[in-house]
Amino acid sequence: QADIQAMNYEFGHAISPRTEFGTTLAVMNIRQMRSGYEEQFGPGSRNVPAVSSSLFIRRHFGGGSRLRPFIELSSGPLYSRHRVPAGTSRINFYSQAGVGVTWNPTARIGIITGWRFGHISNGGIEPDKNPGYNTNTLVIGLQLRPMPR
């Protein structure tokens, strides 16, 4: 079990009137137990800084409206200062799927809200040590130069 805090920066581009493709850079803090598997570093938990970069695709529904629902998928590598989960690997992958709504009050500003389910896993880099973490994330963001309506 872990608590994860993240700040995401997304750089996307409309590849069609309803589809967005881009990359995400995430700076994360993962608070997890110190010990895991055969590694014993004492009781308690520690903060583990991490950084992740992923590709995303987002599909919007409903054209011509200021309020547009969407679905999205993303995946990419995650590197952490210490092993995540403890005793496993410093190199992981972070894959997410989400739903949400984009609201465009003006042509230049968009507000995005949604929910994402994610999974952090080492992808079998250490097959005998791959428990992973599942995440549920509330997304609130600001889009500059949002997708065309």
Side-chain angles (χ1 to χ4, degrees), residues 54-117:
S54 59
L55 297 176
F56 75 86
I57 189 160
R58 184 176 293 136
R59 177 73 174 174
H60 294 265
F61 300 94
S65 172
R66 288 182 178 222
L67 196 63
R68 297 175 68 189
F70 66 82
I71 59 172
E72 63 183 5
L73 295 172
S74 70
S75 190
L78 181 146
Y79 179 77
S80 56
R81 183 176 292 167
H82 303 285
R83 294 174 181 217
V84 172
T88 61
S89 178
R90 294 166 81 186
I91 299 172
N92 286 282
F93 300 93
Y94 192 21
S95 300
Q96 299 181 90
V99 296
V101 174
T102 302
W103 177 53
N104 299 101
T106 71
R108 294 179 122 347
I109 301 289
I111 297 170
I112 186 169
T113 60
W115 168 81
R116 290 180 184 152
F117 172 79

Side-chain angles (χ1 to χ4, degrees), residues 30 32-42 44 46 48 80-92 122 125-133:
I30 302 170
Q32 67 176 13
M33 299 304 292
R34 286 183 180 275
S35 299
Y37 289 96
E38 71 276 354
E39 293 185 359
Q40 299 300 316
F41 297 111
R46 74 161 100 179
V48 180
S80 56
R81 183 176 292 167
H82 303 285
R83 294 174 181 217
V84 172
T88 61
S89 178
R90 294 166 81 186
I91 299 172
N92 286 282
N122 69 31
I125 292 172
E126 294 192 33
D128 57 332
K129 300 177 184 176
N130 189 17
Y133 286 139

